[in-house]
Amino acid sequence: MTDKISVRQICIIMCCLSGALRLMLYPTTMAAACGNALWLPILADTAMETLCVWAVSLLCSRTNKTLFELIEGALGRWAARAVYALFALYFIASTFVPMSEQQLMVHEVFYDTIPSLLVFLPFFVFAAYAGAKSMLNWGRTADICLPVFAITLLLLVIMGLFESNFSELLPFLKQPVSVLFSGCASGFFRFGSGAYLIMFMGHFDYKKGDCAKLTLSCAAGGIIVAFVAAVFYAIYGNLAQVQYFAVTKISIFFSAIALIGRTDLFAVYALDIVMLFALALNVQLACHCAEKAVGRRVRPLYSVIATAILLALAIIFNNRFSLVQTIGSQILVYAVIIFAYVIPIATWVLYIINNSKEGAK
């Protein structure tokens, strides 16, 4: 079975890969929106995401059917194909904002003298290749990303802690509640792990205690991002809102760097690999959904099409970074609400309908 994945690998995806994509521009946008309370909206959105993941995890303990099988059993095969076609479009759309951020991050940190789009073109070749791989390959990639993510992020945070002044996070909750709610809303489109888990449903062997593992992994990913954001603000204070790509900036004041140079960039390079695999995962999920929707196993073709769409978006929105962020916070957020929250919760209704039909036979 090539479309199989383990619970351990899903936990890594929801903690490390999802977390990695939130470490680029998200802390900066939250600093601009909420000041020294930037960590609080991150935790609030994480709580909402974790609650959804818990609901889906609990459903996985009740059935070993995939989402496609549940929809097919309740509404018919064509309805299942239509839903999966929409999910394919959703995963492509959800790649749009982090891909744009990754393009600018690679350009600013590594190749600032070369046009950003030209630097980023190899990503599309990589995405086309990775998108054709099976779910079994996704899990192996997650296993590789875990130590890379853990070691590199730990090194960067430790470097930052030496220059942190956590009094910058005080006074606690000086912002109006409306400001915090606005921060939660503007970053909510980044919290879509419920859509990931619902795609993995039925593709792993559930064992007792896996619900807790999946739920805690999702929560851990958000807590890590909140902690990194707090360290980032503790270093820069009010200047945090104009310091882009926080994860690359928290280590630059480490005292040893003045003597030995920017050795921290090795850790940033390695962490960027995890981010690239996280982006590729969305392409892989889009291809998986397209395969189910069409009913033909030609995943390389779907991968090329998905990558071509992303390349077209990158060309169209090149040097329109502010517009991309606006699209994410004001438009894509509704897609996240539907596909990562409403549909996963509604899957419980499909489960009940399937049980009723099976009981009536």
Side-chain angles (χ1 to χ4, degrees), residues 7-20 22 46 49-50 52-54 56-57 142 149 190-198 200 204 210-225 281:
V7 172
R8 181 192 71 257
Q9 292 164 343
I10 298 174
C11 290
I12 295 171
I13 288 172
M14 292 197 298
C15 177
C16 301
L17 271 65
S18 295
R22 298 169 192 160
T46 297
E49 180 185 48
T50 303
C52 180
V53 167
W54 170 80
V56 178
S57 301
F149 178 83
R190 301 179 187 274
F191 292 82
S193 292
Y196 287 170
L197 185 56
I198 203 171
F200 295 134
F204 64 93
D210 286 346
C211 179
K213 294 176 184 176
L214 293 166
T215 305
L216 291 174
S217 296
C218 178
I223 292 171
I224 290 171
V225 175
L281 176 65

Side-chain angles (χ1 to χ4, degrees), residues 20-27 98 101-102 105 244-246 275:
L21 292 182
R22 298 169 192 160
L23 291 173
M24 289 184 285
L25 199 68
Y26 186 39
E101 293 178 356
Q102 174 69 192
M105 176 178 155
Y244 299 117
F245 310 114
M275 295 176 182

Side-chain angles (χ1 to χ4, degrees), residues 21-345:
L21 292 182
R22 298 169 192 160
L23 291 173
M24 289 184 285
L25 199 68
Y26 186 39
T28 303
T29 58
M30 286 298 98
C34 304
N36 67 348
L38 75 167
W39 55 272
L40 192 56
I42 299 175
L43 290 182
D45 286 344
T46 297
M48 293 292 294
E49 180 185 48
T50 303
L51 184 62
C52 180
V53 167
W54 170 80
V56 178
S57 301
L58 189 62
L59 180 59
C60 291
S61 69
R62 306 292 180 86
T63 179
N64 59 0
K65 290 184 177 181
T66 64
L67 175 63
F68 190 94
E69 290 169 341
L70 287 175
I71 299 174
E72 183 181 22
L75 304 174
R77 177 173 291 271
W78 286 106
R81 288 186 171 184
V83 170
Y84 266 69
L86 293 174
F87 262 106
L89 295 176
Y90 165 74
F91 283 118
I92 293 175
S94 65
T95 314
F96 173 52
V97 176
M99 180 188 70
S100 175
E101 293 178 356
Q102 174 69 192
Q103 176 187 341
L104 288 181
M105 176 178 155
V106 169
H107 178 254
E108 178 177 310
V109 179
F110 305 133
Y111 305 101
D112 60 347
T113 60
I114 305 174
S116 61
L117 187 57
L118 183 62
V119 165
F120 202 59
L121 286 178
F123 163 75
F124 299 101
V125 178
F126 167 71
Y129 170 77
K133 297 299 180 180
S134 67
M135 198 173 290
L136 187 65
N137 179 270
W138 311 353
R140 291 171 178 170
T141 300
D143 285 330
I144 295 171
C145 288
L146 174 61
V148 177
F149 178 83
I151 294 172
T152 56
L153 189 60
L154 180 62
L155 288 173
L156 292 171
V157 169
I158 289 175
M159 290 180 186
L161 285 174
F162 280 100
E163 306 300 327
S164 298
N165 178 14
F166 284 96
S167 64
E168 293 286 352
L169 299 175
L170 300 174
F172 180 64
L173 290 182
K174 68 177 181 180
Q175 294 80 5
V177 175
S178 60
V179 171
L180 299 179
F181 274 115
S182 177
C184 290
S186 64
F188 195 65
F189 72 96
R190 301 179 187 274
F191 292 82
S193 292
Y196 287 170
L197 185 56
I198 203 171
M199 287 293 109
F200 295 134
M201 192 172 74
H203 292 286
F204 64 93
D205 298 322
Y206 185 91
K207 297 182 178 63
K208 185 177 180 180
D210 286 346
C211 179
K213 294 176 184 176
L214 293 166
T215 305
L216 291 174
S217 296
C218 178
I223 292 171
I224 290 171
V225 175
F227 180 71
V228 172
V231 172
F232 172 60
Y233 198 91
I235 295 172
Y236 288 96
N238 291 330
L239 294 176
Q241 59 185 303
V242 294
Q243 298 295 324
Y244 299 117
F245 310 114
V247 75
T248 70
K249 301 289 182 65
I250 61 176
S251 60
I252 62 175
F253 295 115
F254 184 53
S255 57
I257 287 179
L259 299 174
I260 60 178
R262 291 297 307 274
T263 53
D264 61 314
L265 286 179
F266 289 107
V268 175
Y269 270 117
L271 186 59
D272 192 63
I273 293 173
V274 179
M275 295 176 182
L276 291 174
F277 278 118
L279 287 172
L281 176 65
N282 284 324
V283 178
Q284 291 168 331
L285 286 167
C287 295
H288 169 76
C289 293
E291 182 180 271
K292 292 289 187 180
V294 176
R296 297 192 64 183
R297 198 175 182 85
V298 283
R299 205 169 284 188
L301 176 61
Y302 307 138
S303 183
V304 170
I305 294 173
T307 306
I309 294 173
L310 291 175
L311 177 58
L313 290 173
I315 294 172
I316 293 170
F317 290 94
N318 190 36
N319 297 323
R320 297 180 180 178
F321 186 63
S322 178
L323 177 59
V324 170
Q325 291 296 309
T326 301
I327 291 173
S329 60
Q330 298 184 11
I331 298 177
L332 291 182
V333 63
Y334 296 106
V336 172
I337 291 172
I338 293 171
F339 289 94
Y341 291 86
V342 174
I343 293 180
I345 299 301

